Amino acid sequence: MSYVQRGERMTAGQQRAWDRHWADLGADVAELPEGSLDVESWFGRSAPVVLEIGSGMGETTAQLAAEQPDVNYLAIEVYKPGLAQLMLRAENLGVENLRLLRGDAMVLLREHLAPESLDEVRIYFPDPWPKKRHHKRRLVQPETVSMIASRLRRGGVLHLATDWENYAEQMLEVCEAEPELRNRHAAEPGGWAPRPDWRPVTKFENRAHEEGREIRDLIYERA
């Protein structure tokens, strides 16, 4: 598993959002103190914790956080302009229950999130790395899913979505092999979950439909 650091150039609006909000709402994973992240102190309250891995430009993340004000919403992303854009979107929506992390999700999970500390983990449209020789770079691998499962509370949820058929099948295979997870929609054809109506339809998803790629959701629960 790996990620590629893209360019850091931001628009003027993104830079202003970064300057206004990052110090309060963001943290670099590499600069976190040793030990578990004190999520309750960061949010100033105790609430269910949702972690979204790979928030991209934040279109979905900002909407979901706005619609779930009763959860402490963590988003991790490596792309600085994406995090800045997310803060801009969150500001426009009046979102207050969102905190951002920049860096490697596996380091965050392994070193800074305690076992059974998360209520839900969301991975929406991760980089598909479509070439076969690059499949090892995909985020959803046995090691990652095992780590995520250990950080979910009992009954906690792992929700995946992708528009790449080959990656969807890999996700299904990996999650089915993880003994701590149970497919909530195992009785559905193929084990795929019906598309949740609360997950926003993004421009990215619309483009996938236009190009003839089927969107597949998987929803697993910590046993």
Side-chain angles (χ1 to χ4, degrees):
M1 181 195 70
S2 68
Y3 60 81
V4 173
Q5 191 78 27
R6 292 180 283 175
E8 298 287 75
R9 185 174 297 172
M10 295 193 283
T11 66
Q14 289 169 349
Q15 185 64 58
R16 285 194 296 270
W18 186 273
D19 294 341
R20 278 196 302 269
H21 301 300
W22 181 254
D24 294 324
L25 303 182
D28 281 283
V29 173
E31 296 175 6
L32 291 174
E34 286 187 20
S36 296
L37 180 66
D38 189 345
V39 176
E40 288 190 10
S41 292
W42 200 8
F43 283 88
R45 66 175 187 176
S46 176
V49 181
V50 172
L51 171 65
E52 183 176 338
I53 300 176
S55 52
M57 297 304 287
E59 185 180 0
T60 294
T61 312
Q63 291 182 60
L64 288 175
E67 291 165 8
Q68 295 180 289
D70 57 332
V71 307
N72 290 342
Y73 207 113
L74 293 171
I76 183 166
E77 171 61 50
V78 298
Y79 186 46
K80 185 175 179 180
L83 290 166
Q85 186 66 34
L86 173 52
M87 287 189 287
L88 194 57
R89 294 180 194 273
E91 181 182 53
N92 291 338
L93 291 171
V95 171
E96 297 181 350
N97 61 318
L98 178 67
R99 301 292 183 270
L100 288 68
L101 292 144
R102 184 182 182 213
D104 190 323
M106 275 298 281
V107 174
L108 175 70
L109 288 161
R110 183 175 60 246
E111 300 180 13
H112 301 292
L113 291 173
E116 301 189 27
S117 63
L118 301 175
D119 291 83
E120 185 167 354
V121 174
R122 296 169 174 171
I123 303 175
Y124 297 150
F125 305 99
D127 193 325
W129 293 103
K131 294 181 179 178
K132 191 168 183 180
R133 68 178 183 273
H134 292 155
H135 285 187
K136 62 182 180 293
R137 298 184 180 181
R138 288 175 169 175
L139 173 64
V140 182
Q141 307 280 358
E143 178 190 5
T144 314
V145 170
S146 178
M147 179 61 66
I148 289 170
S150 74
R151 267 48 186 167
L152 286 170
R153 65 169 177 79
R154 302 288 173 178
V157 170
L158 170 60
H159 184 188
L160 308 162
T162 184
D163 58 321
W164 285 84
E165 183 178 9
N166 173 269
Y167 200 179
E169 291 168 350
Q170 177 179 325
M171 290 174 172
L172 181 65
E173 181 181 348
V174 169
C175 290
E176 287 294 321
E178 172 49 55
E180 293 293 330
L181 296 177
R182 178 183 66 84
N183 189 340
R184 279 191 171 177
H185 298 276
E188 297 287 339
W192 309 113
R195 189 198 186 285
D197 56 10
W198 50 262
R199 182 166 62 72
V201 179
T202 62
K203 295 174 186 175
F204 178 89
E205 189 167 345
N206 281 327
R207 186 167 69 247
H209 280 300
E210 290 167 5
E211 294 174 1
R213 296 195 302 278
E214 183 180 351
I215 311 298
R216 290 178 171 85
D217 284 77
L218 287 166
I219 299 177
Y220 282 80
E221 181 179 304
R222 171 82 189 274

